[in-house]
Amino acid sequence: MTRHWTQLRRARLSRRSLLRASARAGVGAAGLALVGCGDDDDDDQAQSVAQAQQQDEQQQQAMQQQEQQQAMQQQAMQQQAMQQQDDQAEQQAEQAQQQEQSAAEAQAQQEEQQAAADDNIDYNATAIGAYGSFPQILDQGSALARGGQSASNSYHYASVFPLEPQGTAITGGLGEWEFVSNEALIVRVTPGRVFHNGDPVTAEDVKFTIDRLSNKAEYNPEYNSAWTGELVWTGDNSLIDENTLRIEQAEPSVDAANSLATGGFPVFPKAVIEADGDDAYGQFPIATGPFKFVEWSPDEYIKSVRNDDYYNGRDFVGAPRMPYLAGFEARLIPEIGARVSALEAGEIDLANSIPPDLAVPLGDTGDYNVYYHPAQRGLHIKLPMTIDEDPYNPGQPNPWRDKRVRIAANLAVDVDAITQNIMTGRENYTYSLSAGQFGFAKDLVEQRWGYDPGRARELLAEAGFADGLETDLIYLSGLYTNDQLFMEAIAEMLRDVGFIVNLIPDDISKFLGEARNKELTAPYLFPQPAGFTSLGSFAIGVDSAATYEHKVEVLNDERAEIDRLIAEAKAEFDTERRRKLLEDAVRIHYTEASWLFLFELVQTHVGAARLEWDPFFLQPASVELWNLKSVKT
């Protein structure tokens, strides 16, 4: 560094010295010329030259000093900058080392805590849970099995593909998939997967499952499937090899893989069902889920044990996973008070669907844990707007086809009063899709049907029902927390504006069969399944071909437009265009008052202090039995 600045300074001085020497040479020549002209003032001339030389030398010395000072200053600044860079680099290295050390310590602490937590889990423990309703049979594919599935029934089964926390399919589990453009879905079953009886799961079993659930299986084309709406996209299926299935898309669907994963989609053993028949299978299911069925008494209990051969370990990224509990027994106790009493008496470990006013005091004692969770159910009352005639006045037009009547029903119900006084107060409003689902139209939040009984009366009068409008209102008794209380409140609010309501609590076996077969003509309570993908939710309860919908005799223009938008969304692989199609469909469905929109159910459960549950899914349907732990006491 020093040599560089010295050389540079020397070079500059040499050039300046030469210039000054040239100047002095010019002055000397001029003096000689003057002498030749007869100028005799030699002393003055010599003195002037001497003064000029002295001034020049002084200027040269001053410039040299200035240049030396500048060089020293520049050298000092550069050394300071280099020192700052060194200090900064050292500081960054120290910070990186500290961060590394902190991360390592945090990881070690987390691993230590996890190890301690794992050591604190009793993997040999069993638990008993009480439920308000049971499925009618244990065949997860049947419409008769809908309702009460959380009583361990759905955990006997595992879908073709597992799910991530928001409910979207991921590869793993039984296999993986690949789209062939929008023509087909290729499903590859992972070798080594087995049913509960030890038989291998093959592509032929997956093909049989799809054929059975879409009423194409040769052994029984009349099977009472609950999954036809979700599988409407499927066409012919063909086996490529033992572990590979090609499913043609009769209707191109971007949601094809998700439809084989959500909602506890079952995989059936072809050989067992063809040999034993549907009835026998519904009494003793053999499947692929995290729990194995042991025995049941339809009005008493369902007993299950952990499937120790389950392929998704506890560290798997998706769900479901290998259970912590060694066994689980579900008991049917329809009455809420009886479930609470059984819990307090130590006869059960988990009481499901307990109203908050009973659950919170139990949690306050410290002897119980209270679980709250959004239950992927946007409760609404499905209105029979696709039926042509009034069921109470044959030959007369169906009043529910009049939008004014549907709006009046929505304005009549004070949803806030119900959630604050009967439910937990944590419930969100119901829309055609949950606010967390892909394709939800956010502007609907500001357009929500509010509570305006005065306007509701005016609309009924405008529609020709100033003297009242009679209707039944059906709900499945005992399935949801406080369902009797909030349904009675809804009926009373409707009566207050002019509806003549006959409130009918129905039995699960009767209700689900009639709803699935589209035999109901009256409004009925139903959940919008927010735990499904958006297209899956539509397939269950929104479009006219939905699994659960009133009989479709006639569609208005808006309802036909909803069907068109849904069909386009199924075939649209561009994410943003599909989002726009779904938003348009949701917006029309909601603003048409297609349902009586209520609230998204928040379930409340109470468990013994030894039971711990940290939900995996953002909207679990119920307590995740595979994720329920019993800690050592």
Side-chain angles (χ1 to χ4, degrees):
M1 182 67 67
T2 304
R3 186 179 302 113
H4 167 74
W5 285 106
T6 302
Q7 290 173 348
L8 180 62
R9 185 167 61 252
R10 286 176 179 172
R12 288 174 177 169
L13 288 173
S14 298
R15 285 195 292 271
R16 291 188 178 105
S17 298
L18 288 173
L19 290 172
R20 291 185 182 114
S22 299
R24 286 194 296 271
V27 170
L32 291 174
L34 290 173
V35 170
C37 291
D39 189 351
D40 58 355
D41 194 359
D42 293 338
D43 292 338
D44 291 342
Q45 184 73 21
Q47 186 176 0
S48 297
V49 171
Q51 289 176 350
Q53 289 178 346
Q54 184 178 5
Q55 289 176 356
D56 184 67
E57 290 175 357
Q58 290 175 349
Q59 290 176 356
Q60 184 177 356
Q61 290 176 358
M63 291 178 67
Q64 287 177 348
Q65 291 176 355
Q66 184 177 2
E67 286 175 349
Q68 288 176 352
Q69 290 176 354
Q70 289 176 350
M72 293 175 63
Q73 289 175 353
Q74 289 176 346
Q75 183 178 4
M77 289 175 63
Q78 187 164 2
Q79 289 177 344
Q80 183 178 4
M82 292 178 64
Q83 184 63 43
Q84 288 177 348
Q85 290 177 355
D86 290 343
D87 293 343
Q88 186 176 5
E90 185 177 355
Q91 185 178 6
Q92 289 176 346
E94 290 178 357
Q95 289 176 350
Q97 185 177 4
Q98 291 175 356
Q99 289 175 353
E100 254 179 54
Q101 185 176 357
S102 298
E105 290 175 353
Q107 183 177 358
Q109 184 178 6
Q110 185 177 2
E111 291 175 354
E112 184 179 350
Q113 291 174 347
Q114 184 62 47
D118 291 343
D119 288 342
N120 197 37
I121 296 172
D122 186 354
Y123 294 97
N124 296 316
T126 61
I128 300 173
Y131 296 81
S133 61
F134 268 10
Q136 187 175 350
I137 61 175
L138 300 183
D139 177 357
Q140 181 78 343
S142 172
L144 299 178
R146 289 285 171 95
Q149 297 177 83
S150 60
S152 84
N153 191 17
S154 59
Y155 296 101
H156 298 147
Y157 296 88
S159 302
V160 181
F161 307 117
L163 300 169
E164 50 83 58
Q166 290 185 323
T168 301
I170 59 175
T171 56
L174 285 176
E176 57 185 22
W177 75 84
E178 176 187 356
F179 278 103
V180 180
S181 183
N182 60 355
E183 299 174 1
L185 183 76
I186 304 296
V187 176
R188 295 184 180 87
V189 176
T190 302
R193 304 298 192 235
V194 297
F195 287 103
H196 293 156
N197 62 356
D199 290 347
V201 180
T202 67
E204 188 173 13
D205 294 304
V206 178
K207 171 178 167 53
F208 171 78
T209 294
I210 294 172
D211 288 345
R212 184 180 192 232
L213 295 178
S214 53
N215 298 122
K216 299 174 185 176
E218 293 182 1
Y219 87 100
N220 182 11
E222 303 301 322
Y223 175 71
N224 188 17
S225 171
W227 299 86
T228 52
E230 293 87 328
L231 296 175
V232 69
W233 63 272
T234 60
D236 294 334
N237 308 327
S238 57
L239 294 171
I240 297 176
D241 56 43
E242 181 182 7
N243 293 309
T244 310
L245 174 67
R246 178 186 174 98
I247 310 170
E248 303 295 336
Q249 295 192 69
E251 298 179 6
S253 175
V254 69
D255 213 40
N258 285 320
S259 70
L260 302 181
T262 53
F265 188 90
V267 176
F268 301 118
K270 180 176 184 287
V272 171
I273 293 179
E274 287 186 339
D276 299 340
D278 291 332
D279 291 342
Y281 186 79
Q283 299 301 311
F284 198 105
I286 295 171
T288 63
F291 282 94
K292 293 181 180 181
F293 170 74
V294 176
E295 64 173 312
W296 81 314
S297 175
D299 295 327
E300 298 180 66
Y301 58 81
I302 303 173
K303 294 182 180 180
S304 310
V305 295
R306 181 173 59 220
N307 177 12
D308 288 321
D309 295 323
Y310 194 58
Y311 37 83
N312 292 340
R314 297 188 182 102
D315 59 349
F316 182 63
V317 295
R321 302 170 179 167
M322 174 74 73
Y324 295 93
L325 293 174
F328 186 81
E329 178 181 336
R331 289 188 185 174
L332 179 61
I333 305 180
E335 297 80 15
I336 294 172
R339 292 201 292 277
V340 173
S341 296
L343 181 68
E344 292 180 312
E347 298 171 0
I348 63 172
D349 306 293
L350 175 66
N352 288 272
S353 301
I354 302 300
D357 59 328
L358 297 177
V360 172
L362 289 171
D364 290 342
T365 65
D367 296 327
Y368 305 95
N369 291 322
V370 179
Y371 310 124
Y372 297 93
H373 69 95
Q376 64 176 231
R377 294 179 176 92
L379 293 182
H380 62 273
I381 293 172
K382 196 173 289 292
L383 304 176
M385 58 182 292
T386 59
I387 298 174
D388 199 19
E389 291 188 358
D390 184 353
Y392 292 92
N393 297 287
Q396 297 298 313
N398 176 9
W400 294 107
R401 287 182 50 76
D402 190 321
K403 183 177 178 179
R404 293 170 296 185
V405 174
R406 301 195 302 271
I407 294 175
N410 276 277
L411 295 177
V413 177
D414 189 347
V415 176
D416 289 335
I418 292 173
T419 57
Q420 294 297 323
N421 297 305
I422 298 177
M423 308 307 290
T424 68
R426 306 181 183 203
E427 291 77 9
N428 294 320
Y429 301 116
T430 295
Y431 300 92
S432 306
L433 285 178
S434 168
Q437 287 183 287
F438 176 81
F440 174 73
K442 297 180 180 179
D443 57 294
L444 290 181
V445 175
E446 297 179 356
Q447 302 177 46
R448 190 182 72 83
W449 300 114
Y451 175 56
D452 191 341
R455 180 57 180 156
R457 296 186 191 95
E458 292 175 359
L459 288 170
L460 277 184
E462 291 175 13
F465 299 101
D467 295 330
L469 191 163
E470 184 174 3
T471 183
D472 288 344
L473 181 53
I474 304 170
Y475 71 100
L476 182 54
S477 178
L479 187 59
Y480 307 121
T481 302
N482 273 352
D483 51 12
Q484 181 179 349
L485 288 177
F486 71 70
M487 287 304 295
E488 287 176 349
I490 290 169
E492 194 59 36
M493 291 172 182
L494 290 171
R495 291 175 186 132
D496 183 58
V497 303
F499 290 92
I500 303 169
V501 179
N502 307 309
L503 186 60
I504 302 174
D506 209 346
D507 177 76
I508 186 170
S509 59
K510 181 174 180 291
F511 172 83
L512 288 175
E514 291 177 338
R516 171 65 181 78
N517 296 327
K518 306 185 188 312
E519 297 171 355
L520 297 175
T521 58
Y524 61 87
L525 180 71
F526 204 74
Q528 184 273 328
F532 286 69
T533 63
S534 301
L535 290 173
S537 293
F538 284 161
I540 292 176
V542 173
D543 68 29
S544 61
T547 306
Y548 290 90
E549 176 56 283
H550 289 90
K551 183 185 298 184
V552 178
E553 297 175 339
V554 60
L555 293 177
N556 61 18
D557 292 342
E558 290 79 11
R559 193 60 180 269
E561 177 67 3
I562 292 171
D563 283 359
R564 184 191 68 80
L565 291 167
I566 293 173
E568 286 192 24
K570 288 180 181 178
E572 182 54 72
F573 281 75
D574 182 272
T575 301
E576 289 309 310
R577 285 199 290 267
R578 186 167 70 255
R579 184 196 304 274
K580 178 64 166 56
L581 290 166
L582 293 174
E583 288 178 351
D584 290 345
V586 167
R587 195 174 289 109
I588 295 173
H589 186 264
Y590 187 83
T591 56
E592 276 295 296
S594 302
W595 298 338
L596 198 173
F597 296 89
L598 298 174
F599 52 88
E600 293 187 1
L601 186 69
V602 172
Q603 291 280 49
T604 312
H605 315 284
V606 185
R610 72 178 178 92
L611 294 181
E612 294 182 352
W613 176 47
D614 183 18
F616 172 83
F617 290 111
L618 297 181
Q619 289 187 313
S622 58
V623 175
E624 300 158 340
L625 298 183
W626 59 268
N627 202 17
L628 189 64
K629 305 173 184 177
S630 178
V631 299
K632 297 175 182 177
T633 56

